[in-house]
Amino acid sequence: MLRLFLSCLILATIASAQNADPYPTPPDVKGIQVQMTEDALALGIHHATINVNVAALHSPQSKPGKGEFVWSQNYLASLDKQIKPLSDAGVVVYLIIIAYPSKNPAIDNIVLHPGHRQDLKFTVGAVNTSSGFFPAVMNLLAERWSGAHPEHGRVWGWIIGNEVNSHFMWNNMGLVTLETAASEYEKAFRIAHTAIRRHSQHARAYASFDHHWAERMHNVSPEEATPGRDFLDTFARLVRERGDFDWNAAWHPYPENLGNPRAWADKNVTHDDNTNKVTFKNLEVLPKHLAKPELLYQGKPRRIILSEQGFHTLLTPDGEKLQAAAYAYAWEKIQTLPTIDAFIYHRHVDHAKEGGLRLGLWRNKPNSIADPHSTKLIYDLFKKAGTSEWRAAADALLPVTGLKAWNE
């Protein structure tokens, strides 16, 4: 009887601490991966993503064997400085929870999946779900930005991992099958969701995918990457089998050729469920798939955000106009798809170490990695998105696409 009383008391304490604020309803989908906060706010964004490297939160003073973790207060404070000005301005903030290898074995063995490639030749690792670290760090983050501590800011969206269907490069757990990759990700996602829901009744968690759909990334094995559709369906099945909850999708609908900004001209995609990729040209494939009965949650389709995508600036006389036209095309396409809540542009500033891609609203300074230099044509168009000036600005770019009307 005492045990039952204590259990009820604990549940009541959790319920009373849980933030019950409803999920916000911004006026439009405009967002960006923020590099410069003041500029992002001046652009009139309503959505913003920020990367969180969980490995950077781990401190060598931690005692994982005892379940005791010491967190980097400097890193937490740096995140507060990014989050609070945005959330105070009414921007919906999404954190991308990722684990970069630290190259310190004492940290990596606790933070990274035990099967991770030992030479660390990958970009992002899957998280370790057995060391106690990930539940502890997710509880820390979910509580800090749940709304209970306004001095830290507020987070509404949690993107767990990055492009996890490319699980060797972006969610490394070694060479594994689709079933294993999805199962290990489901474990991590469930841990994250449990922590988030403990502190916020309506915050949302998102599974992250690249633009591959019925085919996997080229020139890699099935143990390194899987078709996004197959990963999504397998993940969803495992969630149902283990106890369904409200996961959502974060998609990256880059053009089929990242170096070609002409999103309307993708030649190899189709508008059915067997298309090789889901890009802006055939974006309706994703919400249509998520409307399948077995993928609904409590009778409603999962929500979608487009959490990372951009358009390359060709070094040609029409390069900037093509980039701007691609943004207009994407914006118009999204307006026809009501389950898409956010279009978060990548990047704010061109980045010198992004494989030669120049995706930014800003050019970077010569000989710098991503220091802002000057704005491009897309900058002014982006600023007009969601305002009374959008229609004229977007329609002026329609001839660039070869379309007669946006509703084509």
Side-chain angles (χ1 to χ4, degrees):
M1 194 71 180
L2 178 59
R3 181 178 298 175
L4 177 62
F5 171 78
L6 290 174
S7 298
C8 292
L9 182 61
I10 291 168
L11 290 172
T13 302
I14 291 172
S16 65
Q18 185 187 55
N19 183 288
D21 293 344
Y23 194 85
T25 54
D28 59 55
V29 298
K30 182 162 66 174
I32 197 166
Q33 285 193 343
V34 175
Q35 179 174 328
M36 301 172 291
T37 301
E38 289 186 11
D39 185 64
L41 293 175
L43 284 164
I45 65 165
H46 301 292
H47 307 265
T49 53
I50 297 170
N51 287 338
V52 175
N53 175 17
V54 292
L57 284 161
H58 183 275
S59 169
Q61 286 74 44
S62 296
K63 298 177 181 178
K66 297 182 179 180
E68 298 175 4
F69 293 95
V70 179
W71 311 112
S72 169
Q73 296 303 312
N74 288 339
Y75 188 43
L76 285 170
S78 73
L79 292 168
D80 290 343
K81 289 180 181 178
Q82 296 175 71
I83 294 166
K84 183 173 169 55
L86 294 166
S87 63
D88 282 358
V91 174
V92 178
V93 177
Y94 308 77
L95 298 186
I96 305 172
I97 305 300
I98 46 182
Y100 292 114
S102 70
K103 300 183 180 180
N104 178 342
I107 295 176
D108 289 341
N109 289 339
I110 297 298
V111 175
L112 300 181
H113 189 282
H116 75 268
R117 183 172 172 168
Q118 293 301 308
D119 62 9
L120 302 179
K121 290 184 178 180
F122 56 89
T123 307
V124 177
V127 294
N128 190 331
T129 58
S130 60
S131 67
F133 171 80
F134 195 58
V137 77
M138 281 307 307
N139 190 67
L140 166 80
L141 302 181
E143 197 272 339
R144 187 179 187 91
W145 295 305
S146 65
H149 307 284
E151 67 275 17
H152 297 312
R154 179 68 159 101
V155 170
W156 278 106
W158 302 81
I159 302 168
I160 310 305
N162 179 66
E163 298 187 348
V164 296
N165 58 301
S166 178
H167 60 266
F168 198 67
M169 181 61 68
W170 294 107
N171 197 46
N172 189 277
M173 58 185 76
L175 296 170
V176 297
T177 64
L178 164 61
E179 185 76 15
T180 298
S183 179
E184 292 299 288
Y185 181 62
E186 192 277 342
K187 293 176 188 176
F189 199 105
R190 187 175 293 274
I191 288 169
H193 182 272
T194 299
I196 293 162
R197 193 58 72 238
R198 182 179 296 122
H199 298 289
S200 180
Q201 189 174 341
H202 298 294
R204 293 178 180 170
Y206 299 86
S208 173
F209 302 90
D210 62 22
H211 64 174
H212 293 87
W213 186 248
E215 295 180 5
R216 66 177 182 273
M217 182 185 294
H218 298 307
N219 301 317
V220 298
S221 73
E223 288 73 37
E224 295 175 278
T226 71
R229 180 193 63 186
D230 298 353
F231 194 107
L232 185 153
D233 287 349
T234 305
F235 168 77
R237 171 178 58 80
L238 291 168
V239 172
R240 291 194 302 273
E241 291 173 356
R242 298 170 182 178
D244 204 5
F245 57 80
D246 52 331
W247 59 267
N248 301 282
W251 197 259
H252 298 172
Y254 283 103
E256 62 179 7
N257 176 357
L258 272 65
N260 183 356
R262 301 172 183 85
W264 55 88
D266 287 347
K267 296 179 180 179
N268 300 308
V269 303
T270 61
H271 296 271
D272 59 73
D273 204 50
N274 291 314
T275 183
N276 61 339
K277 295 181 177 71
V278 171
T279 69
F280 278 109
K281 185 173 182 178
N282 65 343
L283 187 56
E284 67 276 5
V285 170
L286 176 61
K288 184 177 180 180
H289 187 86
L290 288 172
K292 289 185 173 184
E294 67 270 24
L295 294 176
L296 302 179
Y297 181 70
Q298 296 182 346
K300 296 180 180 179
R302 314 283 174 166
R303 307 305 300 182
I304 301 167
I305 59 171
L306 310 179
S307 58
E308 184 208 306
Q309 55 283 305
F311 306 106
H312 177 55
T313 313
L314 296 168
L315 296 179
T316 60
D318 62 349
E320 288 194 24
K321 185 172 284 188
L322 286 169
Q323 183 193 34
Y327 185 84
Y329 175 88
W331 181 275
E332 292 293 327
K333 186 64 174 279
I334 292 167
Q335 308 314 306
T336 69
L337 302 171
T339 56
I340 296 179
D341 296 321
F343 173 19
I344 301 169
Y345 192 78
H346 172 89
R347 281 187 176 262
H348 206 152
V349 182
D350 286 348
H351 197 284
K353 294 185 177 181
E354 198 156 36
L357 294 174
R358 293 174 290 277
L359 306 174
L361 306 183
W362 287 72
R363 303 174 192 88
N364 61 323
K365 288 181 179 178
N367 302 315
S368 78
I369 294 177
D371 293 339
H373 178 266
S374 52
T375 61
K376 305 180 195 175
L377 184 62
I378 191 176
Y379 183 94
D380 292 326
L381 179 71
F382 185 97
K383 191 170 186 177
K384 292 173 181 176
T387 74
S388 60
E389 298 179 83
W390 171 258
R391 185 76 281 135
D395 288 353
L397 292 163
L398 185 61
V400 179
T401 69
L403 300 173
K404 294 180 180 179
W406 290 117
N407 62 11
E408 286 189 41

